[in-house]
Amino acid sequence: MNRLIRPEDKDAWLTLWESYQRFYKVEIPRDVSEKTFARLLDPAEPMFGVLAFEDDKPLGLVHYIFHRSTWTVGDYCYLQDLFVAEGMRGRSLGRTLIDFVYSEAAKAGASRVYWLTHETNRAAMKLYDQVADRTGFLQYSKSF
C-alpha cells in the first residue's frame, strides 16, 4: 500500500530518508531534513511525499514537486527522490511508487513526470527504462 506522508510518519520517513542519503553518499543537514518534512505536510507547498508500506512497515519513499513550465500549459511533475529499502528491492515497490506519482500528476493536470538518476544506478535504470522514456538530455548544475 502507498499513501501520502502524515505527521505521525516522521520517524519512519526519517529512517528511509537517511538510508537514501547513505545510498548516495551524501549527508543533508538535519535542519534541511526538518524543513523538507514540514514542506511535505504543508498544503500550500507544491511538494509531496509518499511512503510504501508492506504489512504496516514502511519500505520505500518518493518525493515529487509540481512546477510551471515554459513549454506547456500544464505543470511538470519532478519526481525528486525515490528509495526502496535495501533487501526489499526487486519486489515492485519502486514501480508502485512511480505509478502513484503518475496517478497524482494526471489528476493534477500535469503534462509530464520526469526525474534524474545517477549514471551508476544501473539497477534502478532497468526499472526506469520500462516505465519512462530516456530524453537524451544531460543535467548541468552549479551549487551555491
Side-chain angles (χ1 to χ4, degrees):
M1 173 194 74
N2 299 328
R3 66 162 172 76
L4 289 169
I5 289 173
R6 300 175 185 159
E8 61 268 22
D9 295 327
K10 187 173 184 179
D11 290 340
W13 171 83
L14 189 57
T15 298
L16 289 165
W17 181 231
E18 289 172 345
S19 295
Y20 175 77
Q21 292 172 55
R22 281 190 298 279
F23 177 83
Y24 275 112
K25 298 177 175 74
V26 298
E27 189 172 328
I28 296 173
R30 185 64 177 229
D31 64 319
V32 174
S33 293
E34 292 287 334
K35 185 66 171 176
T36 296
F37 190 77
R39 286 176 173 161
L40 295 171
L41 296 174
D42 186 343
E45 290 282 350
M47 297 178 71
F48 300 89
V50 175
L51 292 176
F53 290 89
E54 192 173 89
D55 298 326
D56 294 326
K57 183 176 180 180
L59 300 176
L61 66 78
V62 67
H63 302 140
Y64 57 99
I65 303 167
F66 290 105
H67 68 86
R68 302 279 187 232
S69 170
T70 59
W71 288 29
T72 63
V73 173
D75 286 348
Y76 282 1
C77 179
Y78 177 49
L79 190 157
Q80 186 166 20
D81 307 301
L82 175 65
F83 179 75
V84 172
E86 194 171 337
M88 298 295 123
R89 298 177 189 141
R91 299 172 56 189
S92 298
L93 292 169
R95 180 185 293 266
T96 67
L97 286 165
I98 292 169
D99 286 343
F100 187 100
V101 174
Y102 283 171
S103 177
E104 294 300 299
K107 283 192 253 180
S111 59
R112 173 183 296 170
V113 175
Y114 71 102
W115 62 91
L116 306 169
T117 194
H118 196 272
E119 63 189 13
T120 60
N121 196 355
R122 302 249 183 255
M125 287 190 288
K126 286 180 186 175
L127 168 61
Y128 302 160
D129 286 341
Q130 294 173 29
V131 299
D133 300 317
R134 288 193 196 198
T135 63
F137 283 90
L138 302 174
Q139 179 192 26
Y140 289 82
S141 176
K142 179 166 177 62
S143 298
F144 296 100

